[in-house]
């Protein structure tokens, strides 16, 4: 396939015909190459570990490319970003890393551009929102790898017992939570603003109120009037009325909220596709609807993607490109998405999934993908802002807390971190 090779073209221009006349390939074609990939584990047991997926994929690739070997090491999500960071700092970067962030590495010029390593059809085939989120200053470095969106899950049994229907607006949600509380439901609405993934629940609520972490031109707007209104409503209408359960939102982690839903103790919560299997395995009958917004169904939802990155350090540009083109074939993208209840990152695979009977359980999430907004991951400041959200946002809805003050402090962090970009 045709591939843009900006780096290689520059080398040829500098060397003239010397390399060609000397018979020396720029990528060492005559030698065997071993590519090192570090990846995250999406499985919940050894049996469905991502290591199995990558080992099968590597063998299939090697059968077509006998001079290229691919060694894959899989780490848990708790460890993978740290492991890669330590490798990079030690001067031993992998050829590729499938991780949660990319912008710091791009900012330090450690990564190949997408058009250095991907064929033109593969790069053009990414879902547009995801591709844009992989850009730093208009240049794509982050390659979307797996995506998800959020919808509102509700416990059908608890809703039937309370005689209520799924909410469409914030007022509907508050009314439903009141009815669930009257029936003795432990968590009428689970609001996980704990340190594990507070940035996700926060952004989902911001979007439902017409706000977000940034404004239309990409400037941080954490303390916008819309966001202040959203968290004031949460504090007064849900948390303050005892509708979010026995654990303070700032102490409730996403994993614990999901586990409580699977145990039948939660009436409603925002969730991503992995919650479907957790709930089904425990026999919970659940439904899914678009996240309620301030005056009806939310017009936007949170989209999340993880990233494939290609490091320059070892210089295996051609081989990395061949492998990544293989990784992003429809067959392999669909295989991974179906194994782990995730959304495809390519338009063609998304089209297949949207009409396939076997994927109908993912359709509510797939429908939301084109309306989704992602974290501002192209900003190197995002890591600092996300950490501050995890640290502070629970205080915004706590008794005696001030949403305006807490959001203002996070905005200050964002502006300070952003000034260095």
């Amino acid at each position: 396939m045709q591939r843009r090779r900006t780096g290689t073209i520059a080398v040829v221009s500098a060397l003239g015909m010397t390399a060609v006349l000397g018979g020396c390939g720029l990528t060492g074609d005559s030698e065997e190459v071993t590519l090192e990939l570090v990846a995250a584990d999406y499985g919940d047991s050894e049996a469905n570990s991502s290591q199995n997926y990558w080992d099968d994929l590597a063998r299939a690739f090697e059968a077509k490319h006998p001079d290229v070997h691919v060694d894959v090491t899989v780490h848990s999500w708790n460890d993978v970003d740290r492991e890669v960071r330590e490798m990079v700092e030690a001067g031993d970067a992998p050829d590729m890393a499938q991780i949660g962030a990319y912008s710091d590495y791009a900012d330090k010029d450690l990564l190949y551009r997408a058009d250095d390593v991907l064929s033109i059809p593969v790069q053009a085939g990414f879902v547009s929102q995801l591709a844009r989120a992989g850009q730093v200053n208009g240049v794509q470095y982050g390659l979307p790898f797996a995506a998800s969106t959020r919808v509102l899950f509700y416990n059908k049994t608890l809703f039937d017992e309370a005689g209520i229907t799924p909410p469409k607006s914030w007022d509907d949600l508050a009314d439903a939570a009141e009815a669930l509380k009257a029936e003795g439901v432990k968590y009428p609405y689970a609001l996980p603003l704990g340190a594990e993934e507070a940035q996700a629940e926060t952004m989902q609520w911001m979007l439902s109120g017409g706000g977000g972490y940034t404004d239309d031109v990409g400037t941080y707007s954490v303390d916008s009037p819309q966001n202040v209104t959203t968290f004031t409503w949460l504090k007064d209408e849900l948390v303050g009325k005892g509708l979010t359960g026995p654990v303070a939102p700032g102490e409730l982690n996403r994993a614990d909220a999901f586990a409580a839903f699977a145990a039948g103790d939660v009436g409603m919560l925002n969730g991503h596709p992995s919650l479907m299997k957790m709930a089904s395995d425990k026999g919970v009958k659940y439904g899914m609807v678009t996240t309620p917004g301030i005056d009806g169904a939310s017009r936007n939802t949170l989209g999340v993607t993880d990233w494939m990155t290609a490091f320059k350090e070892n210089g295996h540009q051609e081989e990395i490109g061949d492998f990544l083109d293989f990784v992003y074939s429809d067959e392999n993208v669909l295989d991974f998405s179906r194994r782990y209840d995730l959304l495809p990152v390519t338009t063609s695979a998304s089209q297949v999934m949207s009409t396939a009977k076997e994927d109908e359980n993912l359709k509510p999430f797939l429908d939301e993908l084109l309306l989704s907004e992602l974290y501002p991951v192209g900003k190197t400041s995002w890591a600092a802002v996300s950490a501050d959200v995890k640290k502070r946002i629970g205080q915004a809805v706590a008794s005696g807390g001030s949403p305006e003050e807490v959001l203002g402090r996070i905005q200050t962090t964002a502006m300070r971190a952003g000034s260095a970009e």
Side-chain angles (χ1 to χ4, degrees):
M1 287 185 177
Q2 184 182 3
R3 181 176 284 120
R4 303 185 189 108
R5 295 297 193 194
T6 54
T8 300
I9 290 170
V11 171
V12 173
S13 298
L15 296 180
M17 296 299 291
T18 304
V20 177
L21 292 174
C24 299
L26 293 174
T27 56
D29 295 349
S30 61
E31 299 178 2
E32 291 189 355
V33 169
T34 296
L35 298 178
E36 183 179 9
L37 167 65
V38 177
D41 196 352
Y42 292 79
D44 56 11
S45 68
E46 186 175 342
N48 74 341
S49 168
S50 296
Q51 187 73 55
N52 302 324
Y53 170 82
W54 285 113
D55 287 347
D56 290 345
L57 192 71
R59 283 192 292 268
F61 175 78
E62 291 166 354
K64 297 181 179 181
H65 301 81
D67 292 333
V68 182
H69 304 287
V70 183
D71 288 342
V72 185
T73 304
V74 169
H75 297 283
S76 76
W77 270 113
N78 294 329
D79 302 323
V80 67
D81 284 272
R82 174 180 51 80
E83 292 282 350
V84 171
R85 183 174 63 253
E86 290 176 355
M87 293 174 71
V88 172
E89 290 173 351
D92 188 28
D95 295 285
M96 294 164 287
Q98 186 265 299
I99 48 182
Y102 68 87
S103 59
D104 282 351
Y105 300 128
D107 186 59
K108 296 173 183 175
D109 196 30
L110 300 178
L111 302 179
Y112 285 117
R113 296 157 51 125
D115 56 12
D116 288 335
V117 291
L118 296 180
S119 63
I120 293 173
V122 170
Q123 186 181 3
F126 289 124
V127 174
S128 59
Q129 292 97 316
L130 308 183
R132 285 196 300 271
Q135 295 178 356
V136 175
N137 297 323
V139 178
Q140 186 179 358
Y141 294 94
L143 315 181
F145 181 72
S148 69
T149 54
R150 300 293 195 272
V151 298
L152 185 78
F153 282 73
Y154 65 97
N155 184 309
K156 286 186 173 182
T157 301
L158 297 180
F159 266 58
D160 287 345
E161 290 172 352
I164 54 178
T165 57
K168 295 181 180 179
S169 67
W170 287 0
D171 287 344
D172 293 344
L173 188 147
D175 290 343
E178 289 276 13
L180 291 164
K181 181 182 180 182
E183 290 292 319
V185 174
K186 189 173 182 180
Y187 293 89
Y189 178 84
L191 182 65
L193 296 177
E196 178 197 2
E197 205 183 38
Q199 81 283 1
E201 185 76 7
T202 296
M203 184 165 174
Q204 185 77 348
W205 275 99
M206 285 178 171
L207 291 172
S208 73
Y213 286 120
T214 59
D215 60 22
D216 292 341
V217 296
T219 302
Y220 282 114
S221 57
V222 180
D223 61 348
S224 69
Q226 297 94 324
N227 292 340
V228 171
T229 295
T230 294
F231 277 85
T232 300
W233 187 89
L234 283 171
K235 178 178 181 292
D236 294 344
E237 301 301 325
L238 289 187
V239 182
K241 293 182 178 180
L243 302 179
T244 55
V247 179
E251 303 297 325
L252 182 64
N253 283 329
R254 189 267 308 165
D256 295 329
F258 277 23
F261 186 84
D265 292 331
V266 174
M268 302 171 282
L269 83 171
N270 289 321
H272 53 64
S274 70
L275 184 55
M276 295 188 298
K277 184 176 186 300
M278 288 181 63
S280 296
D281 286 349
K282 293 298 182 71
V284 172
K285 296 180 180 179
Y286 64 87
M288 300 180 293
V289 294
T290 299
T291 302
I294 189 169
D295 55 5
S298 180
R299 288 181 286 277
N300 299 97
T301 189
L302 170 64
V304 176
T305 187
D306 304 318
W307 304 100
M308 179 69 76
T309 54
F311 285 86
K312 294 179 178 180
E313 185 173 307
N314 300 317
H316 297 144
Q317 180 181 356
E318 195 77 34
E319 293 83 3
I320 290 171
D322 291 338
F323 180 67
L324 291 178
D325 279 354
F326 184 72
V327 166
Y328 285 106
S329 69
D330 278 357
E331 177 184 0
N332 292 325
V333 170
L334 285 166
D335 182 15
F336 189 88
S337 300
R338 286 165 172 163
R339 286 195 194 200
Y340 299 108
D341 285 331
L342 292 164
L343 304 182
V345 295
T346 65
T347 301
S348 54
S350 296
Q351 290 170 344
V352 171
M353 183 172 277
S354 67
T355 58
K357 181 71 174 176
E358 66 182 292
D359 300 314
E360 62 183 359
N361 61 330
L362 285 169
K363 195 171 187 309
F365 301 94
L366 199 61
D367 289 343
E368 296 286 340
L369 187 59
L370 295 179
L371 302 174
S372 66
E373 291 193 21
L374 282 75
Y375 303 127
V377 290
K379 293 178 175 289
T380 56
S381 56
W382 170 241
V385 176
S386 177
D388 206 42
V389 170
K390 293 176 182 180
K391 175 183 176 181
R392 298 182 187 277
I393 197 63
Q395 302 166 17
V397 297
S399 176
S402 167
E404 186 172 11
E405 181 179 332
V406 171
L407 292 172
R409 289 177 180 174
I410 299 171
Q411 175 71 9
T412 298
T413 296
M415 297 304 291
R416 287 174 177 169
S419 67
E421 292 179 322

